[in-house]
Amino acid sequence: MGDKRGPCRAIMDAGDGLEIGMQVSDPWVIVEVEGELDLHTVPLLKSRLRLAELLAEPPPRVAIDLSRLRFCDSSGLNLLVRTWKRLRSDGGGLLLFQPTSQLRHRLAWTGLDRVLGVRSGPLPPPLPSA
């Protein structure tokens, strides 16, 4: 059986234009991103996504709440694709949810909306405890 962890939340402030929060809501680890994702802030999000993978029960499922992301450049998109590939190779998955209209447009323009899991609404409810 899985770990019986309850929801936990930790807010981590990059102090460089990006704030990241994280919570476990089985089967997902939810990463909340606020601010700007660019060449300077990608390393911070990359490290937090790695942490999310470690917190997730196998197979790792990571959901990124993008509702408060104001900007994402190509380095940010690249990080999302690399994370998706890594999680998928481990049998897990990545879900991008509530992207801003600007990011939805960019994902559609690049065709990434057809490859990455993108959901406009909120995440499905957590799985019931056994």
Side-chain angles (χ1 to χ4, degrees), residues 10 29 38 45 64 76 101 106 112:
V29 175
D38 58 25
L45 182 57
I64 306 175
S101 60
R106 185 162 292 188
L112 290 174

Side-chain angles (χ1 to χ4, degrees), residues 5 12 20-32 44-64 83 86-87 93-94:
R5 295 174 287 196
M12 299 161 215
I20 301 171
M22 196 177 311
Q23 68 182 38
V24 176
S25 181
D26 288 332
W28 298 97
V29 175
I30 301 168
V31 179
E32 300 161 331
L44 177 72
L45 182 57
K46 180 180 179 181
S47 70
R48 297 308 183 252
L49 290 172
R50 291 286 193 162
L51 176 60
E53 290 175 49
L54 294 174
L55 291 173
E57 285 191 39
R61 292 180 190 93
V62 176
I64 306 175
T83 301
R86 188 175 54 255
L87 289 169
L94 176 69

Side-chain angles (χ1 to χ4, degrees), residues 2 33 42-43 72 101 106:
V33 181
V42 158
C72 180
S101 60
R106 185 162 292 188

